[in-house]
Amino acid sequence: MAVFLADAPHLRVLRLLRDEGPVSRAELGDRLELTRPRLLAEVERLVAAGLIAEAGMAASRGGRRSTLVEISPRLRFAAVDLGASSIDIEVTNGRLEPVAAYGEPADIRSGPKAILQRVSELLAKARTDAAYERLDGIGIGVPGPVSFRDGVPVSPPIMPGWDRYPVREVLAREHGCPAVVDNDVNIMAIGERHGGVAHSVDDFLFVKIGTGIGCGIHLAGSVYRGVDGCAGDIGHIQVDAGGPVCSCGNAGCLEALFSGAALARDALAAARAGESPALAERLAASAGGELTAKDVADGAAEGDVTCIRLIREGGRRVGGVLATLVSFANPSMIVIGGGLAQLGHVLLAEIRSVVYRRSLPLATGNLPVVLSELEGRAGVTGAAVLASDMAFEQAS
Amino acid sequence: MAVFLADAPHLRVLRLLRDEGPVSRAELGDRLELTRPRLLAEVERLVAAGLIAEAGMAASRGGRRSTLVEISPRLRFAAVDLGASSIDIEVTNGRLEPVAAYGEPADIRSGPKAILQRVSELLAKARTDAAYERLDGIGIGVPGPVSFRDGVPVSPPIMPGWDRYPVREVLAREHGCPAVVDNDVNIMAIGERHGGVAHSVDDFLFVKIGTGIGCGIHLAGSVYRGVDGCAGDIGHIQVDAGGPVCSCGNAGCLEALFSGAALARDALAAARAGESPALAERLAASAGGELTAKDVADGAAEGDVTCIRLIREGGRRVGGVLATLVSFANPSMIVIGGGLAQLGHVLLAEIRSVVYRRSLPLATGNLPVVLSELEGRAGVTGAAVLASDMAFEQAS
């Protein structure tokens, strides 16, 4: 054996019980390739620490019956997904099943004090609603680059006041449990790998197309965050030097051409120019004189050609960037998520068409390009995975 | 501690002695954080296996003097770098210092039997010239995608007859030692990290611009090869849909616009169109009526504006792709190597300008873009590193 990448035995026990439910001691030993004395010592230690619990007798395997163990039913993890304009929270049990969930609008630009205050209020409400005593871990995703090591946002463009704010430290202190901070797209990728379409896939890209565009990079079994924590920030890749000016100041960035904001802008222009009956009708009915990506999705579903064209053009832009990334990273799957994934199969078909045509045949021979299965829950699912991983690690 | 990535102790001992030369037992124990009994047992085992040797007494550190150990001076590794039109071979000692070196033209399209036969002839010559008995490991790089696990080229576009040819098995059997096969750009990246400008850098991109264009991806301390072994194959990224047709059949691929072949083509056109006195003069003097990248480099050095323009245009193309990859991967360094690196600082300046302008400020705040230091020796250096790593691993 050469280089070996190994998790400590207690982590492997805890993750298996978290992900698969009650298992007998005998099966645990077999599955994790641990000797019986080693396993029994680990189990005893984890029971004493309150992380796992006895769960009755297993069905006989012929010899002496083995007792089942399970992740402690008393564990509680908080998963927080902060968007540009939303807070989503789930509190889960040890198996990461939600016991409470909240979602509400919130402007990330209100700053860390106000937003984290509201997070704490919602967590206090959860403690009452779901009747638990304390949290065992908190995972939080934020819409910007993060230094994962330091637990702070780093130069986040749409989060004024958050730069290097000690998010992890504040949450850990306030709730008396381990906390972990990551980028919002990374937690979506982790979520999709835990409970979605990328289940157990080691090398994949999770592309979030929402207000902005970002990419979670999962390589060789773990998230790759880059040297400064901004790997996957693909929204500002220039795709058309003559394109519209982006919020970042450059021209023709991917997300200036296709994102929630760009699509709303293009839909409004099409409605006003009389190019789309479906959009004109929706604009007339709208209170604020604005259109959204959902209007375009609905128009396309009715067969409005302009709506379909807008989605296709966007898919072509995204597909062009993804073709480059496929040639570079040679992943085994691409998952499309975020709010604009609601544009569905018209978008997906266009992205696939460009990726398959433009990337190397070897890299696309067996490359599924699929929609997220977890949709809006991808972020909180991943945040719960991170929270539990962190709690398990600190429990050693 | 959480996840731990650890190398076996014997590997850590062998790599340290390979890379740093003779070290005392006492210092080895300190450096590798091994207990004294554990270290002494490892050292004894490795001396018995002929991998390391006693090397006299160390200078006193105050107490009892410790004996030095070194990597065995009898070890020999063969490093082979196959290009599209060349074979380069170095045989090294245990410290990866060359004891014999050969280079000659060879057409990779001659097929694996002829090429590997010639490799064996050169290695037989090396054994006589450098007076050693046997090889302890062979590393070989080939100009195409490789299944690193299987030790075979996979669908290599410019290597007819090599698809899934058992290169590793053939070399290992013929020379009676472990062998390892990798892509040529990956071994250049490994070489540059071992003994070049990327020394000890964990996350960097090595961009080879030669006959074609490729990228070695070094992430979190090791080469990332992708699911099918074709990660980093960036030469066929489309940069101009209206560009010239590429050897792959698509239009406007990066290497159809800028590579050794593309530059020779553009130089010839410029010379014939009377746009470049420097190129016209060299064309008139050339025997075969052709021009090369070197002619363009020399013309630029003389101040010929067309030569400078051709290099700048190429740098802009490469820089545009690299800006995308920087936003995606957030590396800590970019190294430019391969034959066209001889275009030097005009090329580098243009690449830097585009990368710094188009990538995220956070990702480029501290991002050196530099020329390879090892130049033509990057490949054999990396192949020797791989050969020794493989030999050390199999020795356990």
Side-chain angles (χ1 to χ4, degrees), chain A residues 1-11 15 145 154-155 203 205 215 217-220 224-234 236-238 241 248 250 321 323-332 357-360 362-366 393 396, chain B residues 1-11 15 145 154-155 203 205 215 217-220 224-234 236-238 241 248 250 321 323-332 357-360 362-366 393 396:
Chain A
M1 265 303 289
V3 177
F4 48 92
L5 172 66
D7 292 338
H10 76 279
L11 280 179
R15 291 203 190 119
V154 180
S155 308
D203 301 77
L205 305 183
C215 180
I217 306 171
H218 221 282
L219 299 183
Y224 182 74
R225 297 181 172 90
V227 169
D228 304 293
C230 63
D233 209 337
I234 65 172
H236 300 284
I237 288 173
Q238 188 184 62
C248 75
N250 280 336
V321 168
T324 293
L325 302 182
V326 165
S327 292
F328 178 72
N330 184 205
S332 61
R357 194 170 64 238
R358 286 220 210 136
S359 310
L360 287 186
L362 181 56
T364 56
N366 185 22
E393 284 169 17
S396 67
Chain B
M1 267 302 292
V3 177
F4 49 93
L5 170 67
D7 292 339
H10 76 280
L11 279 180
R15 290 202 191 121
V154 180
S155 308
D203 302 77
L205 306 183
C215 181
I217 306 170
H218 220 282
L219 299 182
Y224 182 74
R225 298 182 172 88
V227 169
D228 304 293
C230 63
D233 210 338
I234 65 171
H236 300 283
I237 289 173
Q238 188 183 63
C248 76
N250 280 337
V321 168
T324 294
L325 302 183
V326 165
S327 292
F328 178 72
N330 184 203
S332 60
R357 194 170 64 238
R358 288 223 209 134
S359 311
L360 288 185
L362 181 56
T364 56
N366 184 22
E393 286 168 16
S396 67

Side-chain angles (χ1 to χ4, degrees), chain A residues 7 49 61-62 107 114 156 174-175 208 272 290 305 329 331 338 343 381:
Chain A
D7 292 338
R61 300 204 302 180
D107 188 343
E174 177 151 351
H175 298 276
K208 178 193 176 187
R272 288 185 175 156
E290 295 201 346
V305 292
L343 300 174
T381 303

